Amino acid sequence: KAGVTQTPRYLIKTRGQQVTLSCSPISGHRSVSWYQQTPGQGLQFLFEYFSETQRNKGNFPGRFSGRQFSNSRSEMNVSTLELGDSALYLCASSPSGTSGNAQFFGPGTRLTVL
Amino acid sequence: AQSVTQPDIHITVSEGASLELRCNYSYGATPYLFWYVQSPGQGLQLLLKYFSGDTLVQGIKGFEAEFKRSQSSFNLRKPSVHWSDAAEYFCAVGINQAGTALIFGKGTTLSVSS
């Protein structure tokens, strides 16, 4: 099976712009989660989507949003970019909505905000 | 509040020596616990997970971890370290029943000396 894929791998934006990142989960996986990784804050949970519905949400401002499509692919959007949004954004997928899942991570999208 | 603490920021171990990486968690219910490894420029790879049952869990690459509820710990061990084990290791606790929303520790960087 192909792993989790994320596009683009690298992105450079300027402050105030918005950005959309894409994640394609492993085939058959219905849950997609997003994480932000920075040197200062480490790995932080953004949100999780399951069957096109946001099921869990981390402690991030409303500028961070996401959605999931019927084929389980997911996008996350960051509006009004700030310098502090520079980070590696990781997407993870897992098979189902029941207990006992493990997540499989993609390689990430490296976002640089200038 | 849920949290994960990895007390050691950086550890250096000689090749062939044993390894133990510490992890303490704070979580009110029965935790779902994970160890992930991240090599430079790579995404996160799952080493092992604990959901229930036997408190000693085996993972990939010869790693194992032991869940100790009384100590709120989930330490990672390997009897003999290889140079290719040099990487950053993350302990995480799942904060939802599905295990798809993770709180990560800050990570421990492992260096292997020859």
Side-chain angles (χ1 to χ4, degrees), chain A residues 33 37 41 48 94 101 103, chain B residues 36 38 51 98 100 102 106:
Chain A
S33 298
Q37 185 175 25
Q41 299 299 317
E48 183 222 359
S94 59
N101 288 281
Q103 293 187 306
Chain B
Y36 283 88
Q38 187 176 39
F51 290 131
T100 52
L102 303 183
K106 294 292 189 184

Side-chain angles (χ1 to χ4, degrees), chain B residues 23-43:
Chain B
C23 171
N24 292 97
Y25 67 90
S26 173
Y27 188 65
T30 300
Y32 294 153
L33 296 162
F34 306 82
W35 275 100
Y36 283 88
V37 60
Q38 187 176 39
S39 299
Q42 302 295 313

Side-chain angles (χ1 to χ4, degrees), chain A residues 29-96:
Chain A
H29 285 195
R30 295 166 62 196
S31 167
V32 173
S33 298
W34 289 89
Y35 296 84
Q36 181 195 64
Q37 185 175 25
T38 60
Q41 299 299 317
L43 279 154
Q44 294 183 280
F45 172 71
L46 281 156
F47 33 65
E48 183 222 359
Y49 285 85
F50 177 77
S51 293
E52 302 179 63
T53 301
Q54 188 180 85
R55 186 164 62 171
N56 292 278
K57 188 177 188 304
N59 189 26
F60 276 81
R63 300 186 297 108
F64 292 82
S65 63
R67 59 178 177 168
Q68 187 180 35
F69 302 94
S70 59
N71 62 357
S72 294
R73 189 177 69 85
S74 177
E75 291 180 346
M76 69 163 282
N77 183 276
V78 188
S79 63
T80 318
L81 283 165
E82 300 176 0
L83 295 179
D85 298 332
S86 294
L88 180 67
Y89 289 88
L90 293 165
C91 163
S93 74
S94 59
S96 73

Side-chain angles (χ1 to χ4, degrees), chain B residues 49-58 65-67 74:
Chain B
K49 62 185 186 291
Y50 171 79
F51 290 131
S52 64
D54 194 349
T55 56
L56 185 63
V57 293
Q58 303 297 320
E66 186 171 13
F67 170 57
F74 188 58

Side-chain angles (χ1 to χ4, degrees), chain A residues 5-48:
Chain A
T5 58
Q6 293 186 245
T7 56
R9 293 292 310 277
Y10 301 90
L11 207 48
I12 299 175
K13 293 287 188 178
T14 57
R15 277 183 302 173
Q17 288 186 310
Q18 75 167 21
V19 66
T20 299
L21 312 182
S22 180
C23 171
S24 293
I26 292 170
S27 177
H29 285 195
R30 295 166 62 196
S31 167
V32 173
S33 298
W34 289 89
Y35 296 84
Q36 181 195 64
Q37 185 175 25
T38 60
Q41 299 299 317
L43 279 154
Q44 294 183 280
F45 172 71
L46 281 156
F47 33 65
E48 183 222 359

